[in-house]
Amino acid sequence: MPRLRRLAAALFVTLALAPAAEAWGPLGHSVVAELAQRHLSPAAKAEVLHLLALDHTQSLADIASWPDEIRNDPNQQALWKETRPLHYADFHNPNCVYVAPRDCKDGKCVVEAIPHYVAILSDRTQTDAARLQALKFVVHFIGDIHQPLHAGYRDDAGGNAYQVQFQGQGMNLHRVWDSGLLSTRGLGWKAYADRLDAEGPAPLPPPIAPLDRPVVQWAEESCQITHDIYPANHKIDQAYIDAELPVADSRLREAGRRLAEVLNIALQNG
Ligand code: ADE
Ligand code: ZN
Ligand code: ZN
């Protein structure tokens, strides 16, 4: 193979195999989904089960990572490309005040994606297939917006460009927060959800003015958290884990509680 072609092929393989950096990993998304499912109203629960039946499952945890999984499905490449920017919002100022035209160009970010898909899910004139797909996006994106680095302010692709050492390996900070930190508990999603649920209802952070758009507040909270999570020495040591795992747990609990509230409103009777 000519050298340039070989280089192009190697580059393609490298990019294709690059770890997905689009979300809490499957563990975090399933925990959020499971926490929410346990706190659904009877009407919302029935409607969720009705939609999930199309996919032959009864568990939101099973579908919570689908918006990431389509990345690897040859038949879903158009949808993946279209929805790829919807997993995050980058603030471009450390004051963490959301400015839509700056932080969500053309409405393509997680802050605007959530109400978009909630509207489809709530609309009983839509097909069940469309509403199930919207449900998958709502479950996933309400998880993502609570992952602090999915709504940070540094121009480093949500910590993807910030290298750290974790468990003797080089890794980026984004991946530590998507999956590395949570994996240190050594629990599966059900046991993890049991553990968080046993602490009772998640206390919610105090309101941030102007109060008109809760989704904006969720992103602004994430942005504020990112002020404190960049280790200056680029090392994820035990002290870092002890300090930050409770922060990650709180975000999972808040996401689970808020997801349940959103679904309970979107899926009220009729
Ligand atoms: N790419 C750019 N910003 C990102 C973020 N905050 N999270 C994930 N991927 C990104
Ligand atoms: Zn995601
Ligand atoms: Zn991510």
Side-chain angles (χ1 to χ4, degrees):
M1 214 188 317
R3 235 172 62 180
L4 253 178
R5 288 257 310 272
R6 218 164 48 219
L7 191 68
L11 198 65
F12 176 80
V13 168
T14 309
L15 291 176
L17 297 181
E22 310 300 332
W24 291 110
L27 174 60
H29 279 294
S30 290
V31 169
V32 169
E34 173 67 12
L35 288 174
Q37 189 158 359
R38 292 181 188 187
H39 297 277
L40 292 179
S41 67
K45 173 122 204 249
E47 191 61 15
V48 160
L49 290 177
H50 167 71
L51 294 174
L52 287 178
L54 286 178
D55 262 14
H56 310 288
T57 176
Q58 301 187 35
S59 175
L60 286 177
D62 282 345
I63 53 89
S65 293
W66 177 83
D68 285 334
E69 290 160 11
I70 58 174
R71 180 192 185 111
N72 303 315
D73 181 343
N75 298 321
Q76 300 277 16
Q77 287 307 295
L79 184 62
W80 163 249
K81 287 206 178 82
E82 192 185 314
T83 54
R84 186 178 185 148
L86 307 184
H87 294 246
Y88 57 87
D90 291 322
F91 290 74
H92 297 279
N93 188 313
N95 70 6
C96 295
V97 175
Y98 178 71
V99 179
R102 181 195 64 190
D103 305 332
C104 199
K105 296 245 155 53
D106 302 322
K108 297 212 168 303
C109 78
V110 69
V111 173
E112 309 298 337
I114 290 170
H116 171 76
Y117 286 109
V118 168
I120 296 171
L121 174 62
S122 313
D123 179 357
R124 307 225 179 198
T125 70
Q126 298 266 345
T127 63
D128 279 353
R131 293 177 65 225
L132 172 60
Q133 190 184 98
L135 175 65
K136 293 175 182 177
F137 282 120
V138 169
V139 170
H140 184 87
F141 291 150
I142 290 182
D144 274 348
I145 201 171
H146 286 80
Q147 204 279 52
L149 287 168
H150 277 245
Y153 65 88
R154 295 198 193 194
D155 288 319
D156 65 355
N160 275 299
Y162 195 88
Q163 285 300 121
V164 295
Q165 280 290 119
F166 177 63
Q167 297 176 335
Q169 281 186 30
M171 190 179 274
N172 70 62
L173 186 64
H174 190 95
R175 210 169 132 204
V176 168
W177 274 83
D178 269 352
S179 52
L181 261 184
L182 305 182
S183 73
T184 62
R185 289 215 188 282
L187 298 174
W189 60 262
K190 217 170 233 162
Y192 208 123
D194 286 344
R195 182 190 163 114
L196 296 184
D197 220 10
E199 295 173 32
L204 292 181
I208 302 175
L211 306 183
D212 53 340
R213 298 193 67 199
V215 181
V216 170
Q217 165 158 348
W218 307 343
E220 291 184 356
E221 290 164 3
S222 277
C223 182
Q224 289 293 351
I225 292 170
T226 67
H227 277 113
D228 304 321
I229 67 176
Y230 282 79
N233 63 2
H234 292 256
K235 287 197 171 41
I236 308 299
D237 53 15
Q238 194 56 47
Y240 184 95
I241 295 170
D242 292 344
E244 301 303 342
L245 190 48
V247 176
D249 282 350
S250 295
R251 293 306 274 167
L252 296 176
R253 295 175 71 212
E254 290 158 13
R257 175 166 170 187
R258 286 164 166 169
L259 174 57
E261 285 171 3
V262 165
L263 296 179
N264 285 341
I265 292 167
L267 302 175
Q268 287 164 10
N269 284 322

